[in-house]
């Protein structure tokens, strides 16, 4: 199939692209970077450069939520890169002949807001806060592509772990100094997923014509941040463990602290379970052993 991939040079896209090519698909990556084309991999800087309608569009583009301290300007940039871009992408898709048969679009478990006690599945209501409303608007922009011709799948991604980048690299920084740390109480939930399983979910969505709507892309076993610290310390021994007080995190990061770091969600992959999807990494200990083990080898 012909596949258009946005965000193809990012953390998930860089792992997805070679897998798609290995499966025999022809991939076009929309990127702002200048890259040389290959036989089954084409890079474009604008949608106007695409001369043949794709069969599938996979939309993983978007400015990082945690890259900067939030202010009105950066929040607007996040919205432009996710919601506004998805609206433009869907408009472009509708103008193609033939119209693409599938849109797989990124979202996040931030859709549900935060809770220490509740557990969320795909039928749970949208939560409160900037992250939740962002995800809600982002998904609505993608759902506008849905029709009798075009199937839409929404990836509500948890915190994605693997080597080479992503959240785990930031979460391991104190461990490099021999200190195991968590933020605030450490009781907030961390719903995580290995990047390899994210790729497998996307491949399943491409292949399964009956699959549509939201998917919680998280491993079956959520953990608290304190439990994550204990699990990582097995592979990255530390001299001691300690909390970074919430007040310090708030002073350093502002709104990001309360929305993303000091709060969390216990999210279940209910629809993936019902589809019989088997995670390669269903336990945090297994995932960390694979990732940190490779880094130490």
């Amino acid at each position: 199939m012909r596949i258009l991939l946005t965000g193809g040079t990012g953390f998930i896209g860089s792992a997805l692209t070679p897998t798609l090519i290995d499966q025999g698909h022809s991939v076009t990556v929309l990127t702002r970077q200048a890259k040389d084309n290959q036989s089954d991999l084409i890079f474009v800087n604008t949608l106007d450069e695409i001369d043949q309608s794709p069969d599938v569009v996979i939309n993983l583009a978007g400015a990082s939520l945690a890259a900067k301290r939030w202010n009105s300007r950066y929040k607007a940039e996040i919205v432009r890169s996710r919601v506004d871009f998805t609206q433009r992408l869907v408009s472009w898709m509708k103008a193609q002949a033939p119209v693409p048969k599938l849109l797989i679009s990124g979202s996040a478990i931030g859709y549900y807001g935060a809770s220490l006690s509740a557990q969320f599945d795909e039928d749970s209501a949208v939560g409160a806060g900037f992250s939740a409303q962002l995800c809600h608007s982002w998904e609505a922009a993608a759902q506008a592509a849905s029709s009798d011709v075009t199937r839409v799948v929404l990836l509500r991604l948890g915190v994605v772990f693997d080597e080479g980048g992503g959240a785990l690299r930031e979460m391991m920084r104190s461990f490099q100094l021999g200190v195991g740390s968590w933020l605030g109480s450490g009781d907030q939930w961390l719903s995580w997923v290995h990047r390899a399983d994210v790729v497998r979910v996307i491949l399943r969505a491409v292949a399964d014509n009956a699959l549509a709507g939201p998917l919680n892309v998280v491993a079956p076993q959520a953990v608290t941040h304190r439990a994550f610290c204990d699990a990582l310390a097995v592979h990255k021994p530390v001299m001691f463990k300690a909390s970074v007080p919430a007040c310090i995190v708030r002073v350093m990061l502002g709104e990001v602290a309360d929305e993303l770091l000091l709060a969390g969600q216990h999210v279940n992959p209910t629809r993936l379970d019902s589809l019989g999807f088997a995670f390669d990494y269903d336990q945090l200990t297994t995932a960390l052993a694979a990732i940190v083990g490779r880094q130490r080898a």
Side-chain angles (χ1 to χ4, degrees):
M1 286 188 287
R2 296 185 302 275
I3 297 179
L4 170 63
L5 176 60
T6 74
T9 58
F11 186 58
I12 296 173
S14 60
L16 176 62
T17 299
T19 306
L20 291 171
I21 293 172
D22 287 345
Q23 291 198 344
H25 301 296
S26 176
V27 180
T28 298
V29 172
L30 177 64
T31 177
R32 286 178 289 185
Q33 301 179 26
K35 288 182 171 288
D36 294 329
N37 294 335
Q38 303 171 24
S39 58
D40 291 316
L41 179 58
I42 297 172
F43 295 94
V44 296
N45 298 128
T46 67
L47 291 169
D48 293 337
E49 296 175 52
I50 301 171
D51 57 9
Q52 192 171 14
S53 177
D55 302 299
V56 175
V57 177
I58 303 174
N59 178 28
L60 302 176
S64 170
L65 286 181
K68 298 179 182 179
R69 188 185 181 95
W70 288 355
N71 54 31
S72 58
R73 179 176 298 180
Y74 191 58
K75 281 184 174 181
E77 180 181 340
I78 291 171
V79 171
R80 283 194 301 271
S81 69
R82 296 173 183 241
V83 180
D84 297 356
F85 172 77
T86 300
Q87 291 173 341
R88 293 196 303 273
L89 179 64
V90 168
S91 294
W92 177 86
M93 289 174 59
K94 290 181 175 180
Q96 300 309 296
V99 175
K101 298 176 182 178
L102 171 63
L103 170 62
I104 301 173
S105 193
S107 183
I109 59 173
Y111 177 95
Y112 302 112
S115 176
L116 285 174
S117 58
Q119 295 190 26
F120 302 100
D121 63 20
E122 287 87 352
D123 292 327
S124 299
V126 63
F130 174 71
S131 299
Q133 294 307 308
L134 171 71
C135 291
H136 185 260
S137 298
W138 194 10
E139 291 186 8
Q143 281 284 29
S146 179
S147 69
D148 292 340
V149 176
T150 304
R151 178 167 55 96
V152 176
V153 177
L154 305 169
L155 305 174
R156 290 180 182 166
L157 293 159
V159 180
V160 182
F161 288 160
D162 204 351
E163 61 181 331
L168 184 59
R169 181 167 60 185
E170 297 302 317
M171 297 171 79
M172 287 178 59
R173 288 193 184 277
S174 70
F175 287 77
Q176 310 292 352
L177 302 175
V179 179
S181 66
W182 58 87
L183 304 180
S185 69
D187 295 329
Q188 64 270 39
W189 287 103
L190 175 65
S191 293
W192 62 277
V193 63
H194 194 290
R195 181 170 59 166
D197 281 323
V198 176
V199 170
R200 293 179 58 243
V201 169
I202 293 173
L203 296 178
R204 174 68 179 268
V206 170
D208 188 346
N209 290 327
L211 184 54
L215 283 178
N216 289 337
V217 187
V218 293
Q221 299 294 328
V223 298
T224 65
H225 278 245
R226 190 189 296 256
F228 167 82
C229 176
D230 291 340
L232 184 56
V234 172
H235 305 283
K236 299 286 290 185
V238 295
M239 293 180 289
F240 63 92
K241 301 174 187 176
S243 166
V244 179
C247 59
I248 294 177
V249 183
R250 290 189 178 100
V251 168
M252 293 175 60
L253 298 173
E255 192 177 352
V256 174
D258 285 309
E259 285 253 353
L260 302 183
L261 303 177
L262 298 173
Q265 315 82 0
H266 187 153
V267 179
N268 297 313
T270 304
R271 289 198 66 203
L272 287 174
D273 285 345
S274 71
L275 294 167
F277 182 85
F279 287 83
D280 284 344
Y281 298 95
D282 59 350
Q283 300 287 332
L284 180 63
T285 52
T286 306
L288 291 178
I291 298 167
V292 181
R294 285 200 301 269
Q295 292 176 347
R296 296 174 65 182

